[in-house]
Amino acid sequence: MAAEATTTSTTWNGNAMSQSDMMEKDTVLVLDHKDNVIGSASKKDSHVFETKQARGVLHRAFSVFLFDESTGELLLQQRASTKITFPNVWTNTCCSHPLHGMVPNEVDTPKDVADGSVMGVKNAAIRKLDHELRITSLEASKFKFLTRLHYWAADTVTHGPSSPWGEHEIDYVLFYTIPNKSVMPELDPHPDEVDAVKWVTKTKLIEMMNDPQLLFSPWFRIIVNRWLLPDKTGWWENLQETMTTDKHCDYVNIHAFDPPTEHLGGGGNAGPMFDSTTTEKQGDEMKKQGAYGKIKTHKESKISQLIHTDEVWAALTLLYIKPLKSNLESEYIHTKFNADDLAFCDDILGKVSRSFAAVIRQLPSSMLVDILIFYLVLRALDTIEDDTTSFASQEEKMKYLLNFHKTALVDPTWTLKGVGLADEKRLLEEFPKCQRVYAALEPQARRVIADITQRMATGMAEFVDKDLGQGTRDISEYNRYCHFVAGLVGEGLSRLFAASGLEKPSMASELHLSDQMGLFLQKVNIIRDYLEDYVDGRAWWPQTVWKKYSLSGDLGYFANPTTKEVQTKALQCLNELVTDALELGPDCLAYMSKLQCEEVFRFCAIPQVMAISTLDKCYGNLDVFTGVVKIRKGLSCKLILNTNTLNQVHETFYNFATSIMKKARKAKAKGFEDPSFDRTIKACEAICELTMDAAAAAASARRKSTVALPIALGTTAFASYMAFFYGGVGGSSGTTPQFRLGALQAAESQKVLRGIMLVCGAVFYLNSPFATTTSTSSLKSANDLEPKLKKV
């Protein structure tokens, strides 16, 4: 779908290009059905109707309606006979496409749509009115944006029932009024664009549309019949009201229409795709990843997951045999904090971050709530930063960010309505419950949380007013953003660890390593979330990196790539960013080597091993450009179980660094030219050099454990037979097998089968690497390190 795209702001000149030139060189905005920009395509590729894309490629368009206030007339144009799509048809004043890479910018974000500003399509309208009609006197800010329609139509009238051309657009309807057409210079239509123009009244338009000798564009017919001409409620009938109020504006819905019957079919033989009442709304608030349902999440099939038997057993182990223990039920926590408030905090933690929730809950009781509240406070702050539609202005958002530490953390009645989506929205609306738990923390913990919150908010505010639709400016700005939103989190955690007494006081001073560890996690998320962030209009990939590879000069160039050239450039860009993140690996390992508490170590190690595995998943993977990439759930369980010692973490880093090296070398052997190849190998070798001893020791331990596997399997079979035939579930030990089978009830069967599963899991666990440590660990449990807690 995404094609070679070469339009730039410095080269676009409609007067110097033929119709064929513009079809090849103009780069339209490819959309999903929620009007999110998900990529780019040439105008030609997006308008081709064929079997593999029966309705072409959905892209953004605009339709301008220019009215003379003094007469109430509308300016129509007849498209030139030389136009490739829909030639000779009468239509509205001007209709075309916003393009990537233009100055002024022609790409609108969801926020621009929500507030009705849409300066992108308005800028595009100014450009095309000049090109097609030589109209240069209009101001972009004076267009009235009314609504959007999603329609498609094969150009079967021009090219026959198997037409290779058509339109498939989300069309932005723009009105503009001038006091009197006599004040305008005489219209001078471009001969390749327009054959004729005509100012018409409502009566004249109806007369023309009833003339069987005249052709009208399908999109114009839809707009006229739905909104322009209806009695009493029509936009034309109420032109002044339409232009001066928002009564007729609809920025939420996307109104969907199939074409008139004569425009069905085409090269892909496409039939209707909408019902008569279809109206599309944006997003799915219940989905956590994929821009709240705006883009797909790539998941492996169940079969693909089940064939990794070691991961299946890891999942069983984590679920039934060795689950992460929650310490929230400790007496210390119950006596120190309000039960209802804490229950809300625990519940919302599980809703806004299922992956972090279990890791936080296994922390020692003396610091568990400190970290839980620290996470929720920063998640609330992040929700404010991420919301691009709920604030009246950027200044209002900045005010909430900068005051958060002295309002939300201090005022027990502070709340924020209507910001964020789903559970994040609920977190802000019920934040007083979090504030009360925060107020019950020890003073030192509160000081750390308030300090990091203030500094993070200051950093976020620095970026709020920046145009990030095309990413950060350079690596320095990229690192600076990651420091504010993740490096500071690492610093705050280190200070809380030290304050708890479970880690050495010196951990509070490990600012560089804390920062690097945070940057590693944040960069992995940014790499993985390329499409999600681009769709939301706030991206972070540094321009000094991606512009080396984007031939269109636009970050959306890489989205949904289908041509070999775009795919190659996308992977080259991706691999450079993965390598940049990999280079932080040694510092992450150095940080973890300084920890002494088992639970704290596991809390830090689990996100780190997830991150290195995600980098391996992303490296050389085109799925990054078509949705959200996730590692297998079973692999996640396996990684969690292998975070008990530093050696286990070293082994994990070694394995994934080795995997990335193998991928890089395999791609090179197949002829893939990667400018970052040498740098990637060097980064992986640096990790392997630090971790190879641990990996070798772990492999040796596993080889020794396999000796007991036949015994383990025999034990499993015997235990299963005994549990099923002679188990004491609802029967005496003297019952014969035949009688036992007959008497076994459904509920008992479930218990027996569960017992068999647990026995199997236990046997495999005891003979798996999850039960094997590669050396004696220097880590100590919190029970050995924890200072005596103050009695409340």
Side-chain angles (χ1 to χ4, degrees):
M1 180 163 62
E4 181 177 342
T6 56
T7 299
T8 68
S9 60
T10 58
T11 61
W12 198 94
N13 180 355
N15 295 324
M17 291 190 286
S18 66
Q19 290 293 310
S20 295
D21 289 338
M22 282 184 275
M23 290 294 277
E24 294 286 352
K25 296 180 180 180
D26 280 0
T27 310
V28 300
L29 281 56
V30 174
L31 308 173
D32 64 15
H33 283 219
K34 304 300 181 182
D35 193 28
N36 299 297
V37 179
I38 59 172
S40 62
S42 72
K43 188 155 72 171
K44 176 183 176 181
D45 287 347
S46 64
H47 289 79
V48 170
F49 276 39
E50 57 186 358
T51 302
K52 68 179 181 180
Q53 53 179 50
R55 300 180 185 86
V57 177
L58 180 61
H59 55 279
R60 187 169 291 170
F62 63 85
S63 288
V64 173
F65 290 72
L66 179 63
F67 295 90
D68 179 341
E69 287 182 329
S70 66
T71 63
E73 292 174 311
L74 167 67
L75 179 62
L76 302 183
Q77 68 155 274
Q78 184 182 29
R79 288 164 64 89
S81 60
T82 54
K83 297 283 283 186
I84 295 173
T85 57
F86 296 96
N88 301 312
V89 302
W90 285 93
T91 191
N92 47 285
T93 312
C94 178
C95 34
S96 190
H97 313 93
L99 303 177
H100 278 295
M102 303 300 290
V103 177
N105 176 48
E106 295 183 2
V107 182
D108 289 303
T109 67
K111 180 181 182 299
D112 299 325
V113 176
D115 63 25
S117 59
V118 295
M119 288 305 297
V121 294
K122 292 176 182 179
N123 289 332
I126 292 290
R127 173 174 58 82
K128 287 299 291 181
L129 282 164
D130 179 15
H131 172 226
E132 294 185 5
L133 299 169
R134 306 294 195 264
I135 296 176
T136 59
S137 58
L138 306 188
E139 299 177 33
S141 61
K142 292 186 177 181
F143 281 98
K144 182 74 172 185
F145 168 46
L146 292 167
T147 193
R148 297 166 291 171
L149 64 146
H150 179 174
Y151 80 94
W152 70 278
D155 191 6
T156 51
V157 174
T158 303
H159 301 285
S162 298
S163 170
W165 302 107
E167 287 286 6
H168 190 183
E169 302 174 329
I170 291 181
D171 193 9
Y172 285 52
V173 181
L174 303 175
F175 271 28
Y176 200 105
T177 57
I178 55 174
N180 193 307
K181 58 179 173 290
S182 64
V183 303
M184 292 179 59
E186 185 177 351
L187 297 175
D188 180 22
H190 193 297
D192 285 345
E193 296 289 334
V194 179
D195 274 354
V197 294
K198 185 186 291 287
W199 288 95
V200 299
T201 62
K202 290 194 292 291
T203 302
K204 181 61 177 178
L205 176 61
I206 294 171
E207 177 187 321
M208 290 176 66
M209 294 185 75
N210 287 331
D211 185 343
Q213 302 302 314
L214 299 180
L215 298 175
F216 283 84
S217 71
W219 61 90
F220 180 68
R221 291 161 64 184
I222 291 170
I223 295 170
V224 167
N225 292 326
R226 176 64 183 268
W227 293 296
L228 203 62
L229 290 183
D231 291 339
K232 297 183 180 179
T233 61
W235 294 344
W236 201 346
E237 179 72 25
N238 301 279
L239 186 59
Q240 183 177 6
E241 180 182 69
T242 301
M243 295 300 297
T244 58
T245 74
D246 290 337
K247 179 178 179 180
H248 300 284
C249 297
D250 182 357
Y251 305 148
V252 175
N253 297 306
I254 303 171
H255 303 274
F257 302 91
D258 283 310
T261 55
E262 66 268 26
H263 288 292
L264 296 172
N269 194 29
M273 68 180 294
F274 304 116
D275 61 43
S276 60
T277 60
T278 298
T279 297
E280 301 182 0
K281 293 190 177 181
Q282 300 222 26
D284 179 352
E285 293 193 3
M286 300 313 295
K287 291 186 178 181
K288 294 295 178 201
Q289 281 189 294
Y292 285 100
K294 296 175 186 175
I295 62 175
K296 65 183 176 183
T297 298
H298 291 291
K299 295 181 180 179
E300 295 191 28
S301 67
K302 287 190 170 83
I303 294 177
S304 175
Q305 297 188 56
L306 289 172
I307 63 175
H308 294 85
T309 54
D310 57 337
E311 296 175 9
V312 173
W313 288 115
L316 289 172
T317 300
L318 196 60
L319 285 171
Y320 298 109
I321 301 170
K322 195 181 180 183
L324 291 179
K325 176 186 175 185
S326 174
N327 290 316
L328 268 175
E329 300 302 318
S330 71
E331 181 180 355
Y332 168 73
I333 290 176
H334 275 279
T335 55
K336 187 172 178 61
F337 301 101
N338 178 276
D340 292 337
D341 291 339
L342 190 62
F344 168 79
C345 292
D346 180 46
D347 175 66
I348 203 70
L349 173 69
K351 298 289 178 57
V352 300
S353 181
R354 289 185 290 271
S355 57
F356 261 109
V359 181
I360 291 174
R361 290 170 183 145
Q362 61 88 47
L363 282 166
S365 58
S366 59
M367 68 183 306
L368 190 163
V369 180
D370 301 24
I371 304 297
L372 188 157
I373 293 299
F374 185 40
Y375 180 87
L376 291 180
V377 166
L378 298 186
R379 190 58 180 259
L381 195 69
D382 184 61
T383 301
I384 295 174
E385 185 216 12
D386 283 346
D387 193 306
T388 60
T389 61
S390 299
F391 296 98
S393 65
Q394 298 289 52
E395 290 73 21
E396 182 186 20
K397 180 192 283 191
M398 291 170 65
K399 180 180 177 181
Y400 274 103
L401 288 171
L402 295 173
N403 291 330
F404 192 86
H405 70 287
K406 55 186 179 184
T407 53
L409 295 185
V410 176
D411 182 358
T413 65
W414 184 93
T415 186
L416 187 56
K417 304 286 187 181
V419 174
L421 295 171
D423 295 305
E424 283 83 0
K425 180 179 179 181
R426 180 179 164 221
L427 170 62
L428 287 172
E429 291 178 345
E430 300 186 48
F431 196 80
K433 297 173 183 177
C434 298
Q435 192 279 335
R436 290 192 289 268
V437 178
Y438 165 82
L441 299 176
E442 294 298 317
Q444 191 171 0
R446 293 202 305 272
R447 284 194 295 271
V448 171
I449 294 173
D451 175 55
I452 297 298
T453 301
Q454 180 182 6
R455 291 161 61 194
M456 181 181 290
T458 301
M460 287 177 169
E462 177 183 316
F463 282 84
V464 159
D465 210 28
K466 293 187 177 185
D467 181 2
L468 292 166
Q470 296 294 309
T472 51
R473 184 179 61 253
D474 50 30
I475 286 288
S476 176
E477 188 173 71
Y478 177 48
N479 289 339
R480 183 169 176 79
Y481 173 77
C482 291
H483 162 73
F484 283 131
V485 300
L488 286 175
V489 179
E491 177 188 331
L493 289 172
S494 295
R495 289 165 61 185
L496 289 172
F497 296 158
S500 72
L502 295 173
E503 295 295 344
K504 298 173 183 177
S506 59
M507 286 303 299
S509 303
E510 289 291 350
L511 301 184
H512 174 72
L513 293 182
S514 300
D515 185 68
Q516 297 296 89
M517 188 173 69
L519 261 65
F520 181 61
L521 299 180
Q522 186 64 23
K523 287 187 173 185
V524 171
N525 288 337
I526 287 173
I527 291 167
R528 182 197 65 187
D529 295 342
Y530 157 78
L531 188 58
E532 180 178 353
D533 291 338
Y534 180 70
V535 164
D536 278 340
R538 297 187 78 231
W540 312 103
W541 282 26
Q543 294 181 27
T544 50
V545 173
W546 67 256
K547 282 189 175 180
K548 292 187 290 185
Y549 307 103
S550 171
L551 298 183
S552 70
D554 189 276
L555 181 57
Y557 172 76
F558 310 113
N560 297 290
T562 57
T563 68
K564 184 67 174 178
E565 182 174 38
V566 178
Q567 290 173 350
T568 298
K569 294 295 184 183
L571 291 180
Q572 288 173 339
C573 181
L574 172 63
N575 291 351
E576 180 170 343
L577 290 172
V578 169
T579 300
D580 173 71
L582 275 173
E583 290 170 341
L584 298 170
D587 281 343
C588 297
L589 294 169
Y591 180 92
M592 288 183 284
S593 71
K594 295 178 179 294
L595 299 172
Q596 62 181 12
C597 175
E598 286 180 1
E599 293 88 345
V600 171
F601 176 84
R602 191 180 301 115
F603 171 80
C604 294
I606 289 174
Q608 297 295 317
V609 297
M610 297 293 184
I612 188 77
S613 68
T614 301
L615 279 185
D616 175 59
K617 181 79 171 178
C618 289
Y619 184 83
N621 187 353
L622 285 170
D623 284 349
V624 171
F625 302 100
T626 60
V628 176
V629 172
K630 299 181 75 173
I631 63 174
R632 294 183 301 275
K633 291 182 179 179
L635 177 57
S636 297
C637 295
K638 180 179 176 181
L639 294 174
I640 289 171
L641 289 169
N642 275 312
T643 54
N644 297 306
T645 69
L646 184 61
N647 273 355
Q648 288 180 327
V649 172
H650 275 210
E651 182 192 9
T652 297
F653 267 70
Y654 178 88
N655 289 340
F656 286 115
T658 301
S659 173
I660 292 172
M661 277 198 293
K662 288 179 179 178
K663 291 178 182 178
R665 287 172 174 149
K666 183 178 180 180
K668 184 177 183 180
K670 290 184 175 181
F672 179 71
E673 294 183 8
D674 188 348
S676 303
F677 175 81
D678 291 338
R679 186 178 164 196
T680 303
I681 297 300
K682 183 179 179 181
C684 291
E685 287 177 342
I687 293 173
C688 290
E689 185 176 349
L690 290 171
T691 58
M692 62 172 53
D693 291 342
S700 174
R702 272 197 304 278
R703 283 194 296 271
K704 292 177 182 178
S705 72
T706 57
V707 174
L709 188 57
I711 299 174
L713 290 173
T715 303
T716 301
F718 179 73
S720 301
Y721 177 86
M722 295 298 290
F724 191 72
F725 287 102
Y726 293 102
V729 183
S732 66
S733 59
T735 308
T736 65
Q738 290 80 6
F739 180 80
R740 183 75 185 95
L741 280 170
L744 201 60
Q745 301 297 313
E748 295 172 345
S749 299
Q750 292 177 2
K751 293 178 182 178
V752 170
L753 292 174
R754 189 180 298 116
I756 295 171
M757 181 177 66
L758 290 175
V759 170
C760 293
V763 173
F764 273 89
Y765 168 73
L766 292 171
N767 290 275
S768 72
F770 314 133
T772 307
T773 58
T774 55
S775 67
T776 303
S777 175
S778 61
L779 297 171
K780 297 180 181 179
S781 71
N783 290 333
D784 297 325
L785 295 168
E786 202 164 44
K788 292 183 179 180
L789 299 173
K790 295 179 181 179
K791 292 185 178 180
V792 180

